[in-house]
Amino acid sequence: MSDRVYTIGYGGRTVNEVVDQLRTFRVEYLVDVRSVPYSRYRPSFSRKALARYLRSAGIRYEHMGAQLGGRPADPSCYDHKGRILYERVCAKPFFQEGVARLQDACRRGFTVCLLCAEADPARCHRSGLIGVALEQVGIHVEHLLRCGGSKGQDEVMTGPGEDQLGMFQ
């Protein structure tokens, strides 16, 4: 059994850099939590290309943007100005199903990492939405940083963002 889920943002990185870091942390499953798993600017991170690359690296790929994405299709998840309301998302069955699938993967002992585009976990729904929900059910969340290190969920939620620490210089 594993009580930890990693997250990673690919902003400012190559697919090789991301895969190297996933290997360092012995990740078995990369769960893509982008609502739209495509990148016009970094085509190697588009769904099909990324899945092929990960498969060749021995890492399984799963897209769960419909359950855990930062831009849900359900219009009731937004306020009148179009801003996402995390507390509404957390109450939705689709989100709860996504969290339950991650819990099951942890119970089965898999090493899982969530992927999004945003490099700084403090500015991404990986921490503010998914990380909070996972911590509430007893799963520790560790955010992999571009510098090669990592930060725990508590540190991300209370400390300066990665870009404020000079990691993007």
Side-chain angles (χ1 to χ4, degrees):
M1 178 165 167
S2 171
D3 66 346
R4 176 183 318 272
V5 167
Y6 295 104
T7 84
I8 193 167
Y10 68 80
R13 303 183 197 206
T14 67
V15 71
N16 288 331
E17 291 169 333
V18 168
V19 168
D20 286 346
Q21 194 169 25
L22 295 175
R23 284 181 173 150
T24 297
F25 285 85
R26 294 184 161 94
V27 170
E28 299 169 279
Y29 277 91
L30 183 78
V31 177
D32 190 339
V33 295
R34 296 174 293 168
S35 296
V36 181
Y38 303 99
S39 177
R40 185 177 346 175
Y41 304 106
R42 295 199 178 265
S44 58
F45 286 101
S46 292
R47 183 180 185 169
K48 288 181 182 178
L50 181 59
R52 266 193 313 272
Y53 192 87
L54 290 167
R55 188 172 32 256
S56 71
I59 300 170
R60 297 175 184 138
Y61 173 88
E62 180 76 27
H63 178 251
M64 290 182 60
Q67 296 88 13
L68 300 172
R71 290 184 279 159
D74 185 338
S76 71
C77 293
Y78 300 86
D79 69 11
H80 68 283
K81 292 183 179 179
R83 293 178 298 220
I84 188 166
L85 300 170
Y86 286 168
E87 63 276 3
R88 288 188 190 169
V89 176
C90 287
K92 298 294 180 179
F94 62 83
F95 183 79
Q96 294 169 2
E97 174 191 320
V99 170
R101 286 182 66 192
L102 294 176
Q103 284 180 285
D104 183 56
C106 288
R107 266 193 295 276
R108 295 173 63 194
F110 293 114
T111 305
V112 175
C113 185
L114 310 179
L115 170 93
C116 198
E118 175 58 55
D120 184 355
R123 297 189 322 193
C124 185
H125 79 290
R126 297 188 322 268
S127 61
L129 176 62
I130 304 168
V132 169
L134 290 174
E135 292 271 337
Q136 287 175 349
V137 297
I139 297 174
H140 177 69
V141 178
E142 190 77 17
H143 302 280
L144 305 182
L145 306 176
R146 190 172 138 193
C147 65
S150 66
K151 278 178 148 182
Q153 174 71 9
D154 289 344
E155 190 178 0
V156 166
M157 295 302 288
T158 60
E162 183 175 8
D163 58 341
Q164 294 168 327
L165 296 174
M167 301 298 177
F168 291 112
Q169 295 176 3

